[in-house]
Amino acid sequence: MLAVTNWLTRTALGLFIGVCAANAAVLVDFQVAQPPPLPKDAKQCTEVLIVHTFGNSFGTPAIANFTPPTDCGPVGSWAGISLNLTVTSNGTQFDRLGIFTFQNTEIWRTSTPEPTFDGIIWTYLKDVTRFIPLFSKPGEFIFELDNLLETGLNGQYASTVTATFFASSPSHPAAKNANLILPISASSNPTPDDNAPSVPPNINTNVTFPDNTVEVYAEIFASGNGNEEFWYFNTANEFLDDLPAGTTFGDGPFREVQLLVDGMLAGAVFPYAVIFTGGIIPTAWRPITSYGALDLPTYFIDLTPFVPILTDGKSHNISLGVISAETDHAINDNWFVSGLVQIVTDTSSKPTTGEITKYEVQPFPVTSTTAVVGAQLGDVNVTVSATRSVHIESRIVSGSGKVNNVVFTQDLSYKNVQTYANQAAIQNVAQTATGTVTSTHNGVTSLTDKYSFPLNINLTLLNPSGSEFSAFFDHSYDRTILPAPFIFGSTIAERQLAGGFFTVASTGNTGNGTSNNTFTYVDTAGNTFDREVSAALDNITSDHQGGSLAGTQPKFPFFPKAQAILGGSVRLPGRRIQT
Ligand SMILES: *[C@@H]1O[C@H](CO)[C@@H](O)[C@H](O)[C@H]1NC(C)=O
Ligand SMILES: *[C@@H]1O[C@H](CO)[C@@H](O)[C@H](O)[C@H]1NC(C)=O
Ligand SMILES: *[C@@H]1O[C@H](CO)[C@@H](O)[C@H](O)[C@H]1NC(C)=O
Ligand SMILES: *[C@@H]1O[C@H](CO)[C@@H](O)[C@H](O)[C@H]1NC(C)=O
Ligand SMILES: *[C@@H]1O[C@H](CO)[C@@H](O)[C@H](O)[C@H]1NC(C)=O
Ligand SMILES: *[C@@H]1O[C@H](CO)[C@@H](O)[C@H](O)[C@H]1NC(C)=O
Ligand SMILES: *[C@@H]1O[C@H](CO)[C@@H](O)[C@H](O)[C@H]1NC(C)=O
Ligand SMILES: *[C@@H]1O[C@H](CO)[C@@H](O)[C@H](O)[C@H]1NC(C)=O
Ligand SMILES: *[C@@H]1O[C@H](CO)[C@@H](O)[C@H](O)[C@H]1NC(C)=O
């Protein structure tokens, strides 16, 4: 089963089986998140884009031919756009990665909660207002969800995708947006898989920018899958031999996502660790998924400093890659990466000119790996740290004569402490990644991405075979972003304390879990949302929602009965459990 390479590396993330219990109900899964900050009282036009059941769907995405609506004001004049993905499933199935690609550009990466025999349903509402330039013309809308049906795997994902356009009005002005969005991903003749290719090796895309480009903002999608699903648990090669075989993978726990322009590093990301719903303790992630599982975070870099070299009418080599702190910078298979650029053009059609006046960037971050090795195999603590700084300045002169002095800086830091004890029966990780990313145009802030992503996981094997284990997660997402001066900025503070027990047995798996979540959101338009929600044993035990956006998403019902769990298999770091 695990030897089906494409299936494993692309999407197989974890698995467990639910069985019918007395009084069991369809489980309503959800990720804690703000409702899209869109005007409820605006005229709305909803289009059904996709109604599709993903059965055996490897390489066969659902494709819709999109046409912009004309009855919510002139095309492109909308106050906002949201997508609604609603899915039901039942039976046994892995969690799967889902990728939405529109006009050859990835716009949303998601993953599926694992079903139960009695069925699950989830809805996620995604704000896609910043992609108005793509929605303003007809094009192919692709939802790729590579699912597999075979012996022991019968869960299908019955999916509906709708797009809602919010008409602008004097009280709800048209959303500001870029003049053009181009993908950093598609080849000249893309297949769905080209839109989020896997690395290593780096992907290289030829992009031709308009001559009168004056600002460029990049957005990057990146997630570890297959042997990189638990990348933060991978151990530095130097100390892998101090662990029992199969405990975890090598190449260490540090990952830097790099964006290069003609081979010059333009920006870097120390990413957030998305834990998929089959990850380690599947029962900890239902009905509340881990944060980010239904809407994987993306990252923002100001590419405006490169405008002087991009506006020569020729194609340029935009690369995306992921590196480790190992001496060869290698990683395992694999990461899926893609991206896009939001482009602002000048009112003049004359080419933009200028020069890069400062470029203080090293090709690789400064890293260190140290360890304390105990007397016994599997008794070792390994610390990996990294720092990275980027400082680029440019003077840009538009065709209409405006001068823009751009300063782009990044200061990123990272630390990961892995603690192994009792022959690696204890496998703990304490990681934090922080970043301060700022760009100013003539002294005015135009892009910000400040983040802190602390992650603590204590995994303990409770018996010699490793078939019984517990894990507790303390995971936060604290972030202030302004993706571009014309896109909404927001601040999110999110913390999830989750965990539970799991037992793998030939007679059927059993497990339990609890999840306590606190979430606050505030944006540059003054919208607010907060939610404190807890679950235990598949049941919501408390739920409070407040703020100006509250009430726009349904409160979730209390379930009458927790569902029993039997059978199936589960994924741990490394190759500890293979069923
Ligand atoms: C989302 O779509 C589902 C299925 O199409 C629908 O039942 C639900 O009401 C929609 N939710 C919102 C908030 O529009
Ligand atoms: C289970 O899924 C199958 C296949 O998608 C569907 O035909 C059936 O109606 C579902 N049953 C329930 C109870 O949801
Ligand atoms: C990009 O352009 C270079 C040089 O013209 C060419 O060798 C390469 O194949 C192109 N790559 C893609 C992905 O089109
Ligand atoms: C693009 O840049 C990468 C370095 O990031 C380099 O390895 C590759 O050869 C370049 N490709 C082309 C076609 O110039
Ligand atoms: C690793 O760290 C833990 C917790 O700080 C400590 O108890 C243990 O002794 C350390 N292991 C070694 C080999 O020093
Ligand atoms: C992990 O264990 C350490 C040491 O016992 C403890 O301080 C920490 O709170 C635990 N973290 C989680 C997420 O359970
Ligand atoms: C969540 O909160 C409940 C109630 O306070 C507590 O029993 C449970 O241990 C908490 N779960 C975690 C993972 O901290
Ligand atoms: C979860 O299962 C473990 C092991 O069976 C048990 O000790 C614990 O009390 C259970 N937790 C809850 C919240 O039921
Ligand atoms: C689910 O939670 C509600 C609210 O706390 C409680 O009344 C109910 O007894 C719980 N159900 C189960 C099966 O634990």
Side-chain angles (χ1 to χ4, degrees):
M1 191 158 84
L2 294 178
V4 183
T5 316
N6 184 33
W7 166 57
L8 178 69
T9 56
R10 177 113 201 140
T11 46
L13 310 165
L15 170 74
F16 81 105
I17 294 178
V19 344
C20 213
N23 305 323
V26 169
L27 196 63
V28 181
D29 289 309
F30 63 99
Q31 183 202 303
V32 176
Q34 73 284 3
L38 296 169
K40 281 171 268 183
D41 54 343
K43 183 182 179 194
Q44 298 173 24
C45 300
T46 296
E47 284 189 16
V48 178
L49 296 178
I50 285 168
V51 179
H52 187 79
T53 297
F54 293 91
N56 242 334
S57 56
F58 256 91
T60 50
I63 302 178
N65 287 312
F66 167 82
T67 310
T70 50
D71 43 3
C72 264
V75 166
S77 72
W78 308 298
I81 311 174
S82 66
L83 295 179
N84 172 342
L85 168 65
T86 296
V87 187
T88 62
S89 184
N90 63 65
T92 305
Q93 193 48 263
F94 279 93
D95 45 1
R96 303 290 185 180
L97 206 58
I99 293 179
F100 289 89
T101 301
F102 184 41
Q103 317 278 18
N104 292 331
T105 309
E106 181 169 353
I107 58 169
W108 179 11
R109 189 173 298 186
T110 186
S111 71
T112 63
E114 294 186 340
T116 65
F117 276 10
D118 300 310
I120 61 167
I121 184 167
W122 78 92
T123 290
Y124 193 88
L125 303 177
K126 166 89 173 168
D127 181 3
V128 291
T129 304
R130 66 183 180 276
F131 304 122
I132 282 179
L134 301 177
F135 283 93
S136 299
K137 45 187 198 242
E140 266 193 351
F141 185 95
I142 300 173
F143 182 27
E144 181 187 1
L145 200 169
D146 286 353
N147 193 37
L148 196 73
L149 300 177
E150 60 169 29
T151 307
L153 287 180
N154 63 356
Q156 307 190 38
Y157 290 105
S159 309
T160 302
V161 183
T162 58
T164 299
F165 296 78
F166 294 74
S168 57
S169 63
S171 50
H172 303 299
K176 289 189 215 152
N177 50 65
N179 299 97
L180 179 69
I181 292 176
L182 293 176
I184 310 176
S185 55
S187 65
S188 50
N189 184 19
T191 67
D193 277 356
D194 288 333
N195 290 312
S198 63
V199 299
N202 283 9
I203 62 150
N204 302 308
T205 315
N206 290 338
V207 184
T208 305
F209 291 79
D211 290 357
N212 62 341
T213 297
V214 286
E215 294 169 57
V216 181
Y217 302 96
E219 177 169 1
I220 297 171
F221 295 78
S223 58
N225 304 273
N227 293 358
E228 291 283 296
E229 177 179 352
F230 304 106
W231 49 274
Y232 42 86
F233 263 127
N234 292 355
T235 293
N237 292 338
E238 192 184 346
F239 302 105
L240 207 51
D241 286 347
D242 295 308
L243 296 171
T247 302
T248 187
F249 297 106
D251 287 340
F254 172 70
R255 296 293 175 268
E256 178 181 81
V257 182
Q258 300 190 329
L259 176 65
L260 301 101
V261 174
D262 293 338
M264 296 168 80
L265 192 125
V269 175
F270 290 180
Y272 174 80
V274 176
I275 301 171
F276 298 106
T277 61
I280 306 176
I281 306 285
T283 39
W285 310 126
R286 45 184 261 185
I288 307 175
T289 71
S290 54
Y291 186 77
L294 301 189
D295 188 6
L296 276 72
T298 60
Y299 306 94
F300 301 97
I301 287 168
D302 190 357
L303 282 186
T304 306
F306 292 86
V307 162
I309 59 172
L310 297 173
T311 50
D312 59 0
K314 301 196 177 107
S315 81
H316 290 271
N317 177 8
I318 312 287
S319 312
L320 282 169
V322 183
I323 59 135
S324 71
E326 296 296 307
T327 44
D328 61 359
H329 305 293
I331 63 166
N332 303 282
D333 285 337
N334 56 26
W335 279 67
F336 292 107
V337 295
S338 81
L340 58 95
V341 281
Q342 303 258 2
I343 297 172
V344 179
T345 52
D346 194 33
T347 45
S348 156
S349 60
K350 282 197 272 175
T352 307
T353 58
E355 58 180 335
I356 297 179
T357 54
K358 182 178 275 193
Y359 182 79
E360 290 175 357
V361 187
Q362 297 302 316
F364 296 104
V366 177
T367 62
S368 85
T369 300
T370 58
V372 183
V373 182
Q376 306 288 323
L377 181 71
D379 192 7
V380 57
N381 296 342
V382 189
T383 301
V384 176
S385 336
T387 57
R388 141 80 72 196
S389 70
V390 166
H391 188 150
I392 309 172
E393 296 188 13
S394 285
R395 182 173 184 274
I396 294 162
V397 184
S398 70
S400 57
K402 286 193 229 57
V403 175
N404 184 6
N405 289 301
V406 180
V407 180
F408 177 64
T409 60
Q410 295 192 298
D411 283 293
L412 315 181
S413 68
Y414 169 92
K415 187 174 181 190
N416 176 296
V417 180
Q418 293 178 354
T419 308
Y420 293 95
N422 298 356
Q423 279 129 41
I426 292 176
Q427 181 177 7
N428 294 350
V429 65
Q431 173 172 299
T432 188
T434 60
T436 300
V437 179
T438 309
S439 94
T440 58
H441 292 191
N442 289 332
V444 178
T445 300
S446 65
L447 177 146
T448 299
D449 193 347
K450 286 183 188 156
Y451 53 82
S452 173
F453 301 145
L455 169 65
N456 292 279
I457 305 176
N458 292 355
L459 167 60
T460 307
L461 305 190
L462 300 169
N463 64 357
S465 74
S467 63
E468 288 179 38
F469 47 92
S470 68
F472 292 89
F473 303 78
D474 182 354
H475 200 188
S476 294
Y477 178 93
D478 292 311
R479 195 170 181 197
T480 297
I481 52 173
L482 178 67
F486 46 85
I487 297 175
F488 255 33
S490 63
T491 296
I492 286 173
E494 199 279 336
R495 184 173 183 193
Q496 188 166 41
L497 293 165
F501 290 77
F502 210 84
T503 301
V504 175
S506 56
T507 49
N509 295 351
T510 52
N512 63 25
T514 63
S515 176
N516 301 318
N517 303 263
T518 52
F519 177 91
T520 61
Y521 168 92
V522 56
D523 66 32
T524 49
N527 300 297
T528 59
F529 182 70
D530 65 87
R531 188 170 190 182
E532 298 82 44
V533 58
S534 295
L537 309 173
D538 290 0
N539 189 23
I540 299 296
T541 53
S542 68
D543 189 2
H544 163 83
Q545 296 178 43
S548 66
L549 297 171
T552 57
Q553 72 182 10
K555 270 199 150 192
F556 290 89
F558 291 111
F559 301 106
K561 181 86 175 77
Q563 300 194 357
I565 299 127
L566 294 167
S569 56
V570 59
R571 294 282 286 278
L572 291 180
R575 296 199 181 85
R576 293 188 144 192
I577 297 279
Q578 287 191 65
T579 54

